[in-house]
């Protein structure tokens, strides 16, 4: 076929493991496109990046770019039905989203490969002839406002806006970018502006020459090229000039500041920020990558290791953050303990001490080369990710890099230019620093309020001479550079696999453990994954047991941090976390040094002891984390209450807090031998590994855990195995649990309507998944778009330990939860007719050829429709301070027929039968 205008072959720098085909195309309208052909994919995807973002918002119309992003989803001249695009994507196995950043707006989706052309055509209409009806405009302003209200009590949004507020007022960085009812409706009306007219005018900035598109399909490049040529050539090119950011948003008056801010949540945070030249301008030299590696290091001799050992901080992150090629920031941020709060000046002194050490010591080529080696390995052996993640991750490279570097971007800095690193290091000076310090301890001590989020703060000047005093009085612990990284892999050989194992198989079984094994037959990368499930049935039988196991796991991770940090830098990852009946150790990465890391983790577990100083620091932050449950979004609180009602051995946060308050290091030390005295290990090993080595690893795991001298671990007999189980709700009964939100300042209320359907079963799973597929978009459209009940609205599947259910969730400032629950009922009533009227054409879904339409409708009538004989419903309703009157009214009302009000969760749970467990003991265990 003839190539589209401007197409040319590009020699892309690509990963050695990458088998996909690529082509750069420029259409006659100047739209630049990257085509990707992947014959092995079952999903197709596309992402369009438009070089118009919130920095382009007209003065006095804050949030207009974000509002436009919302509006383009509605309808187009070619597809005038509201939400035809989202409906088509959802019904054909896909997903979609968009986001607005400072200088760009990105739209993306994925879909089943057989439906790509139709989905892509609907997507293309965003940028050709969208319809923006007056009715839709008003509704979507409410959605934007609801999104903003969701963020009002989020510390992340509040602190980000505070940083922007303390910047030059004439720079777009200073602006509020989300938009609200005030900025998009009230104030424009006061000025006599027609917001729809302003929206259409703003849309004229969407010119093809400011767009970059990535298209990922299963077909050949020629076929995909013909498709994009046909679908995207009608996008207008009005030769717009892309927005160029005016220099840096910070002037001298915004530097040398100490900002004390009052957060919503518990926890103290310290952040040092410096304006720097964006390292994207030197991406082949990677100066910020080198500096963030050293400043953010967590091994011995690092800033973090020393302040952690002093009990002052719980984490530390360092690196560059930017949305622009014209300005950037380098930040060092950490979570402080209460003791760290008292030593803030010492910590800042330490950071500058380390920066001065880096200057005095000079740039080390061996460190740069080590990072080059790590980056090269990571790039060439990268895991293949899903198409939607790949297109969204690649599209920005098209704007920033020459075509041959689109696939690699800034991932492979290779030019050693020490003076460039020193140039950025010189910018991290006391003269240029901004210090942001968040703590509830500043209550009553602040003097100002940020206008958009009403964050309380005060500002003090911190001169270089003051910082010099902090440096001099900081303790004298020895800071030094890291040692060479012993975990950098050298052996990338692929192991021979003689037996083609399609599913994991049991390779080894003893009274202490069982090993599941599966070799890599698909990806051909030198990586392995190891999961060890420690089944300890005494881990969750009481709130005390739960918090003790939680602290045990946190302490393990804490002890391993300094040693294992190098492994994570080199591409060996591990995690240790709580499960429903114990804890799990998970490792993944290059198999070359995997056993070295595994051995260190196992020894730490087997030789565990409680260190009182670390126990105190971790207990303090865990208490604050539990307390922060009160400040979670109401829909998150509602979801927790659903789990609390359904699951046995699930404990209220208040009871866990009470147990944690009483827990001391010596009582934890006494609890652990009891916890670990009944343990069974379930091991899963998958990847570039032979069966004999997998058996050897399982033997090593067993020997280290159970046979190390003084180990606390003992075996467990099958009769001692306990599992989580889920209560069975009653047919034709709607249970409801109503509670006031724990943070009454949050204006959002929430409801979750949970419809329990069946225990894990392939046939029923398919029917329920099909219903969710068909109903999720209409539910979103009706409840969010048409009725405007709230920004967070969804219909989705839920599985609790193998018990499947439908869940409809709404979070709202405009209506109370009882009203929202009634509207969900009304949706199911309305949707019943649509299910019964399904045409054979609508019903044909490739995955479900053998499922008859009559069977599906019978399933709906039996379990889901409003008066179904086996409909089992739980409605959890969280009332905000806005809806306190409605809460009192609901509490006083008599219960209608076929409803039950839950007032005592644990009394209710005791009265209900339980589903059987899918985990029938060590002979029949499935992974969490």
């Amino acid at each position: 076929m003839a190539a589209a205008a401007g197409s040319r072959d590009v020699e892309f720098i690509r990963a050695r493991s990458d088998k996909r085909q690529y082509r750069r195309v420029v259409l006659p309208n100047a739209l630049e496109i990257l085509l990707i052909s992947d014959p092995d994919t079952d999903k197709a995807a596309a992402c369009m990046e438009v070089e118009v973002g919130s920095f382009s918002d007209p003065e006095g119309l804050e949030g207009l770019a974000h509002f436009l992003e919302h509006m383009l989803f509605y309808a187009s001249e070619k597809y005038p039905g509201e939400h035809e695009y989202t409906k088509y994507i959802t019904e054909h196995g896909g997903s979609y989203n968009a986001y607005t950043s400072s200088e760009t707006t990105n739209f993306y989706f994925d879909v089943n490969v057989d439906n790509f052309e139709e989905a892509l055509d609907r997507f293309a209409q965003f940028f050709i002839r969208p319809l923006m009806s007056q009715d839709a405009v008003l509704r979507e302003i409410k959605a934007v406002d609801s999104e903003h209200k969701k963020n009002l009590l989020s510390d992340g949004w509040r602190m980000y806006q505070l940083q922007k507020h303390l910047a030059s007022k004439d720079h777009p960085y200073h602006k509020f970018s989300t938009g609200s009812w005030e900025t998009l409706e009230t104030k424009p009306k006061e000025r006599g502006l027609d917001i729809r007219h302003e929206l259409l005018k703003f849309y004229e900035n969407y010119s093809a020459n400011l767009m970059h598109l990535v298209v990922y399909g299963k077909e050949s490049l020629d076929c995909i090229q013909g498709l994009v040529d046909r679908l995207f050539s009608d996008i207008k090119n009005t030769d717009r000039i892309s927005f160029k950011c005016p220099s840096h948003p910070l002037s001298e008056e915004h530097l040398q500041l100490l900002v004390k801010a009052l957060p919503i949540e518990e926890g103290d945070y310290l952040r040092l920020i410096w304006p720097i030249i964006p390292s994207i301008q030197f991406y082949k030299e990677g100066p910020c990558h080198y500096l963030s590696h050293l400043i953010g290091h967590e091994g011995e001799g690092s800033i973090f290791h020393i302040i952690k050992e002093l009990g002052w901080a719980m984490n530390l992150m360092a690196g560059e953050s930017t949305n622009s090629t014209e300005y950037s920031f380098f930040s060092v941020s950490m979570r402080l303990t209460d003791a760290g709060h008292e030593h803030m000046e010492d910590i800042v002194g330490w950071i500058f001490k380390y920066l001065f050490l880096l200057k005095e010591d000079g740039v080390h080529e061996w460190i740069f080369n080590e990072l080059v080696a790590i980056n090269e390995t990571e790039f060439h052996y990268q895991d293949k990710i899903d198409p939607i993640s790949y297109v969204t991750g690649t599209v920005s490279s098209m704007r920033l890099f020459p075509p041959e570097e689109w696939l690699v971007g800034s991932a492979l800095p290779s030019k050693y230019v020490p003076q460039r690193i020193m140039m950025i290091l010189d910018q991290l000076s006391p003269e240029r620093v901004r210090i942001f310090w968040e703590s509830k301890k500043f209550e009553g001590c602040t003097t100002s309020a940020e206008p958009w989020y009403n964050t309380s703060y005060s500002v003090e000047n911190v001169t270089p001479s003051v910082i010099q005093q902090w440096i001099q009085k900081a303790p004298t612990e020895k800071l030094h550079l890291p040692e060479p990284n012993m975990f950098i892999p050298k052996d990338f050989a692929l192991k021979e696999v003689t037996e083609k194992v399609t599913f994991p198989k049991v390779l080894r079984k003893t009274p202490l453990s069982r090993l599941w094994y599966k070799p890599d037959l698909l990806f051909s990368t030198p990586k392995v994954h190891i999961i060890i499930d420690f089944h300890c049935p005494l881990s969750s039988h009481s709130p005390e047991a739960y918090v003790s196991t939680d602290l045990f796991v946190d302490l393990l991770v804490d002890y391993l941090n300094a040693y294992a940090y190098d492994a994570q830098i080199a591409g060996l990852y591990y995690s240790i976390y709580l499960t429903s009946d114990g804890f799990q150790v998970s490792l993944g990465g290059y198999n070359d040094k995997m056993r070295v890391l595994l051995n260190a983790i196992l020894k730490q577990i087997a030789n565990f002891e409680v260190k009182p100083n670390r126990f105190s620091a971790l207990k303090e932050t865990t208490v604050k984390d539990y307390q922060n449950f009160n400040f979670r979004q109401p829909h998150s609180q509602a979801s927790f209450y659903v789990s609390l009602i359904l699951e046995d051995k699930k404990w209220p946060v208040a009871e866990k807090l009470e147990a944690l308050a009483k827990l001391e290091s010596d009582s934890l030390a006494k609890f652990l031998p009891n916890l670990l005295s009944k343990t069974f290990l379930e091991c899963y090993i998958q990847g570039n590994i032979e069966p004999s080595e997998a058996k050897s690893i399982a033997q090593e795991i067993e020997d280290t855990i159970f046979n190390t001298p003084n180990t606390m671990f003992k075996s467990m007999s099958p009769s001692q195995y306990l599992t989580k189980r889920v209560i069975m709700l009653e047919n034709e009964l709607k249970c409801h649990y109503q509670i006031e939100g724990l943070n009454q300042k949050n204006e959002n209320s929430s409801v979750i309507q949970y419809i329990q359907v069946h225990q894990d079963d392939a046939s029923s799973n398919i029917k329920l998944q099909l219903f969710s597929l068909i109903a999720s978009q209409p539910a979103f459209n009706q409840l969010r778009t048409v009725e405007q009940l709230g920004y967070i609205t969804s219909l989705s599947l839920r599985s609790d330990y193998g018990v499947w259910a439908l869940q409809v969730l709404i979070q709202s400032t405009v209506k109370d939860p009882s009203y929202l629950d009634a509207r969900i009922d009304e949706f199911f009533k309305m949707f019943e007719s649509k299910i019964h009227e399904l045409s054979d054409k609508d019903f044909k879904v490739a995955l479900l050829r053998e499922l008859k339409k009559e069977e599906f409708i019978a399933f709906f009538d039996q379990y889901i429709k409003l008066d179904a004989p086996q409909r089992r419903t739980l409605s959890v309703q969280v009332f905000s301070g806005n809806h306190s009157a409605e809460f009192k009214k609901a509490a006083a009302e008599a219960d209608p027929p076929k409803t039950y009000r839950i007032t005592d969760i644990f009394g209710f749970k005791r009265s209900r039968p339980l589903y059987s467990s899918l985990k029938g003991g060590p002979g029949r265990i499935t992974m969490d």
Side-chain angles (χ1 to χ4, degrees):
M1 61 170 284
S7 78
R8 68 177 178 87
D9 289 333
V10 173
E11 197 63 43
F12 292 101
I13 300 167
R14 59 162 78 196
R16 285 193 287 269
S17 57
D18 189 355
K19 305 292 189 292
R20 293 165 290 214
Q21 291 184 303
Y22 300 88
R23 181 181 293 167
R24 173 185 179 262
V25 171
V26 182
L27 297 183
N29 60 1
L31 173 62
E32 194 169 25
I33 306 172
L34 174 63
L35 309 178
I36 306 173
S37 170
D38 179 3
D40 298 325
T41 190
D42 59 354
K43 283 275 167 76
C47 180
M48 178 77 89
E49 179 173 273
V50 186
E51 286 185 64
V52 179
S54 59
F55 279 4
S56 300
D57 285 345
E59 196 61 44
L61 289 172
E62 295 89 351
L64 192 63
H66 180 215
F67 178 41
L68 175 59
E69 171 225 302
H70 276 238
M71 285 300 301
L72 293 183
F73 281 82
Y74 265 85
S76 62
E77 284 187 18
K78 186 171 182 181
Y79 298 101
E82 275 201 358
H83 290 285
E84 277 200 40
Y85 162 76
T86 55
K87 185 173 185 290
Y88 188 85
I89 298 277
T90 307
E91 289 181 357
H92 294 92
S95 59
Y96 58 87
N97 214 330
Y99 63 87
T100 305
S101 59
S102 303
E103 297 181 6
T104 63
T105 305
N106 289 52
F107 304 85
Y108 52 94
F109 75 92
D110 67 357
V111 74
N112 293 336
V113 288
D114 293 343
N115 308 103
F116 190 39
E117 182 171 346
E118 286 208 45
L120 197 62
D121 189 24
R122 286 161 170 78
F123 181 70
Q125 298 306 311
F126 281 33
F127 314 103
I128 297 172
R129 287 187 189 87
L131 292 178
M132 295 189 243
S133 70
Q134 186 63 48
D135 179 47
V137 163
L138 283 171
R139 279 186 274 144
E140 210 53 33
I141 291 174
K142 289 178 183 173
V144 169
D145 186 61
S146 178
E147 184 177 355
H148 171 55
K149 282 178 175 163
K150 167 185 73 71
N151 301 334
L152 279 174
L153 297 181
S154 161
D155 283 328
W157 283 97
R158 292 163 69 85
M159 296 307 157
Y160 178 53
Q161 190 64 43
L162 179 57
Q163 289 170 36
K164 296 188 347 166
H165 178 65
L166 297 171
S168 301
K169 288 183 169 52
D170 56 356
H171 194 285
Y173 175 76
H174 177 78
K175 291 180 182 178
F176 167 63
S177 58
T178 311
S180 65
W181 184 261
E182 181 190 8
T183 67
L184 296 171
E185 172 65 14
T186 308
K187 286 189 174 176
K189 263 193 177 164
E190 287 171 1
R191 291 164 55 201
L193 295 178
D194 178 339
I195 195 67
R196 182 172 178 270
H197 175 72
E198 297 300 322
L199 189 70
L200 293 170
K201 196 161 73 175
F202 189 77
Y203 180 70
E204 291 170 10
N205 292 313
Y206 272 45
S207 172
N209 71 303
L210 297 184
M211 296 181 186
H212 292 95
L213 174 67
V214 183
V215 179
Y216 189 121
K218 190 181 182 74
E219 299 81 5
S220 68
L221 288 172
D222 286 347
C223 183
I224 300 171
Q225 183 168 333
L227 191 62
V228 298
D229 199 17
R230 193 169 74 253
L231 299 182
F232 290 89
S233 290
D234 287 344
I235 298 176
K236 283 182 188 170
N237 176 15
T238 54
D239 281 322
R240 294 274 167 162
I241 298 168
S242 64
F243 178 88
K244 280 287 174 267
C245 198
S247 65
H248 214 286
L250 305 182
S251 57
E252 281 190 19
E253 67 183 283
H254 305 114
L255 305 176
Q256 298 181 28
L257 300 182
L258 171 61
V259 182
K260 295 178 180 176
L262 189 62
I264 299 295
E265 296 193 1
E266 296 292 339
D268 293 10
Y269 294 86
L270 183 66
R271 188 176 287 112
L272 281 71
I273 301 173
W274 296 265
I276 60 166
I277 298 170
S279 66
I280 188 75
Q281 297 179 14
F282 324 108
Y283 66 94
K284 291 191 176 176
E285 298 154 23
C288 282
H289 186 53
Y290 179 96
L291 290 170
S292 61
H293 168 69
L294 294 177
I295 299 166
H297 208 281
E298 298 182 16
E300 290 191 5
S302 66
I303 301 168
F304 177 65
H305 187 256
I306 287 169
I307 58 178
K308 187 190 111 170
E309 290 303 303
L310 290 167
W312 294 353
M314 300 308 296
N315 59 31
L316 184 145
M317 287 158 287
E320 182 184 23
S321 60
T322 182
N323 284 322
S324 174
T325 56
E326 302 301 315
Y327 71 89
S328 190
F329 303 101
F330 192 96
S331 67
V332 179
S333 54
M334 67 205 77
R335 180 174 183 176
L336 304 179
T337 61
D338 288 344
H341 181 89
E342 300 304 317
H343 288 274
M344 182 278 291
E345 295 175 2
D346 293 325
I347 293 169
V348 173
W350 267 115
I351 292 168
F352 278 104
K353 259 190 183 177
Y354 193 79
L355 296 176
F356 294 157
L357 167 70
L358 294 182
K359 282 185 188 177
E360 289 166 13
D361 222 33
V363 179
H364 291 260
E365 191 168 5
W366 73 265
I367 296 177
F368 184 85
N369 289 338
E370 194 175 82
L371 292 173
V372 167
I374 290 167
N375 290 336
E376 292 227 337
T377 302
E378 185 179 353
F379 178 71
H380 286 296
Y381 293 104
Q382 61 186 279
D383 293 329
K384 189 176 181 183
I385 58 175
D386 56 283
I388 195 168
S389 301
Y390 195 62
V391 296
T392 53
T394 306
V395 74
S396 294
S397 293
M398 297 175 70
R399 177 172 50 94
L400 299 170
F401 305 105
E404 57 273 15
E405 296 176 14
W406 283 352
L407 307 182
V408 63
S410 59
L412 292 180
S414 54
K415 283 187 182 174
Y416 179 61
V417 185
Q419 59 268 34
R420 194 74 74 201
I421 295 169
M422 293 304 289
M423 178 192 79
I424 299 291
L425 187 55
D426 285 340
Q427 294 182 338
L428 309 184
S429 66
E431 287 79 11
R432 297 168 56 81
V433 76
R434 288 152 57 96
I435 302 171
F436 287 82
W437 189 10
E438 304 164 37
S439 176
K440 289 256 196 178
K441 299 176 183 73
F442 299 141
E443 185 93 56
C445 305
T446 55
T447 55
S448 306
E450 186 278 319
W452 295 105
Y453 291 82
N454 200 33
T455 305
S456 298
Y457 72 97
S458 59
V459 179
E460 301 167 21
N461 281 98
V462 181
T463 60
S465 60
V466 168
I467 286 178
Q468 195 58 46
Q469 291 169 22
W470 295 355
I471 293 167
Q472 285 165 358
K473 77 181 182 72
T476 55
E477 273 81 0
K478 181 69 174 156
L479 289 161
H480 62 79
L481 296 179
E483 299 293 320
N485 191 334
M486 62 176 278
F487 286 101
I488 295 175
K490 303 283 193 297
D491 179 7
F492 301 105
L494 298 179
K495 307 291 173 71
E496 287 288 324
V497 179
T498 50
E499 188 184 354
K500 306 296 183 195
V501 181
T502 311
F503 298 102
K505 70 172 189 176
V506 176
L507 206 58
R508 179 180 182 274
K509 188 176 177 184
T510 76
L512 302 174
S513 72
R514 181 168 54 173
L515 168 64
W516 296 84
Y517 164 76
K518 186 183 182 301
D520 172 22
L521 301 174
L522 184 61
F523 300 109
S524 301
T525 56
K527 296 181 180 180
V528 69
H529 294 270
I530 300 173
I531 294 174
I532 312 165
D533 252 330
F534 287 74
H535 293 288
C536 308
L538 301 181
S539 63
S540 59
H541 73 275
S542 68
E544 290 76 15
Y546 179 91
V547 298
S548 298
T549 311
D550 194 8
L551 259 296
F552 165 64
V553 167
D554 286 350
L555 284 164
L556 275 175
V557 174
D558 186 81
Y559 296 170
L560 283 161
N561 189 69
Y563 175 81
Y565 185 76
D566 268 350
Q568 292 183 293
I569 289 171
L572 269 179
Y573 303 99
Y574 82 99
S575 59
I576 308 175
Y577 48 86
L578 283 179
T579 60
S580 62
D581 49 15
F583 64 99
Q584 186 179 95
V585 176
S586 176
L587 299 92
Y590 307 108
N591 48 275
D592 184 23
K593 305 286 172 63
M594 179 67 80
R595 289 190 78 159
V596 179
L597 177 61
L598 174 63
N599 187 258
I601 293 171
L602 294 173
K603 282 185 174 170
Q604 189 65 253
I605 293 171
N607 298 308
F608 182 84
E609 59 181 47
V610 180
K611 298 176 184 174
N613 64 326
R614 296 311 301 150
F615 171 85
S616 298
L618 283 159
K619 176 183 170 180
E620 179 194 302
T621 52
T622 305
V623 165
K624 289 176 182 175
D625 289 342
Y626 283 178
Q627 288 171 336
N628 284 334
F629 176 76
N630 292 0
F631 303 107
R632 276 199 209 167
Q633 290 280 354
H635 72 84
S636 177
Q637 293 181 12
S639 184
F640 174 81
Y641 293 132
V642 171
S643 298
L644 187 63
I645 291 166
L646 292 175
E647 297 171 25
D648 69 334
K649 300 196 293 289
K650 179 103 177 171
W651 310 109
V653 174
E655 289 186 20
K656 290 191 283 192
L657 258 173
E658 192 180 331
L660 193 55
K662 295 173 185 168
L663 187 66
E664 298 300 337
S665 58
D666 57 347
S667 55
L668 177 60
K670 284 174 189 162
F671 167 78
L672 290 175
N674 188 37
L675 167 72
L676 306 176
S677 66
K678 293 178 176 59
T679 301
F680 182 82
L681 303 181
E682 193 88 36
C683 307
Y684 175 62
I685 299 179
Q686 181 273 332
N688 184 40
I689 190 165
E690 293 164 349
S692 58
E693 191 181 357
K695 284 181 185 175
S696 163
I697 288 173
Q699 184 67 59
E700 180 188 349
I701 293 168
E702 204 175 277
D703 287 345
T704 309
I705 294 301
F706 290 105
N707 299 330
T708 298
N710 304 320
T711 182
M712 293 182 276
F713 287 89
K714 305 258 184 318
S715 65
M716 173 178 69
S717 65
S719 65
Q720 296 171 315
Y721 193 86
L722 301 172
T723 60
K724 281 252 187 182
R725 293 171 67 184
V726 173
I727 70 157
M728 187 183 289
L729 297 174
E730 191 171 321
N731 291 344
E732 296 188 278
L733 184 69
K734 184 178 200 175
C735 302
H736 57 269
Y737 178 67
Q738 295 168 320
I739 189 169
E740 289 186 287
L742 297 172
N743 177 15
Q744 287 288 291
K745 288 180 183 172
N746 193 319
E747 296 179 7
N748 292 279
S749 289
S750 187
V751 66
I752 289 179
Q753 190 176 117
Y754 166 96
I755 304 162
Q756 194 176 68
V757 182
H758 66 277
Q759 191 162 23
D760 205 35
D761 163 79
S763 171
S764 299
N765 290 357
I766 287 171
K767 292 169 193 168
L768 192 62
Q769 286 167 355
L770 178 59
F771 179 79
S772 175
L773 190 73
I774 292 169
S776 60
Q777 198 281 333
F780 180 87
N781 185 50
Q782 180 63 33
L783 300 170
R784 179 188 183 268
T785 307
V786 177
E787 298 189 32
Q788 288 291 301
L789 296 177
Y791 175 73
I792 297 178
T793 302
S794 66
L795 180 151
S796 59
L797 294 180
R798 176 172 176 141
S799 174
D800 297 84
Y801 304 100
V803 176
W804 287 75
L806 277 174
Q807 174 175 287
V808 184
L809 180 156
I810 306 175
Q811 180 166 294
S812 176
T813 56
V814 293
K815 296 291 181 182
D816 72 276
S818 297
Y819 179 89
L820 301 175
D821 189 58
R823 296 315 302 162
I824 294 170
D825 284 349
E826 197 57 40
F827 166 76
F828 279 107
K829 200 182 290 182
M830 178 218 35
F831 200 64
E832 184 181 329
S833 60
K834 295 198 176 177
I835 290 291
H836 285 265
E837 290 162 13
L838 271 175
S839 69
D840 289 337
K841 178 174 173 291
D842 288 338
F843 190 74
K844 288 292 181 211
V845 180
L847 188 71
L848 308 167
R849 295 286 184 223
E850 294 179 19
L851 177 64
K852 292 185 175 65
K853 186 173 76 171
E854 294 73 26
E855 287 178 62
F856 174 68
I857 291 172
F859 177 82
F860 171 79
D861 288 346
Q862 185 76 7
Y863 295 102
I864 300 172
K865 79 172 185 178
L866 210 54
D867 56 353
Q870 284 183 260
R871 195 185 212 257
R872 301 188 289 268
T873 313
L874 169 66
S875 174
V876 170
Q877 303 172 13
V878 177
F879 288 74
S880 71
N882 270 14
H883 299 130
S884 56
E886 289 89 341
F887 174 73
K888 286 173 185 149
K889 181 179 173 223
E893 281 176 349
D895 296 334
K898 294 189 178 181
T899 64
Y900 176 82
R901 185 190 304 268
I902 300 172
T903 53
D904 171 6
I905 288 177
F906 291 92
F908 173 74
K909 283 163 81 162
R910 284 191 292 270
S911 73
R912 298 302 309 149
L914 298 171
Y915 277 96
S916 62
S917 170
L918 289 179
K919 294 184 175 184
R924 192 166 165 259
I925 300 172
T926 58
M927 293 288 169
D928 260 350

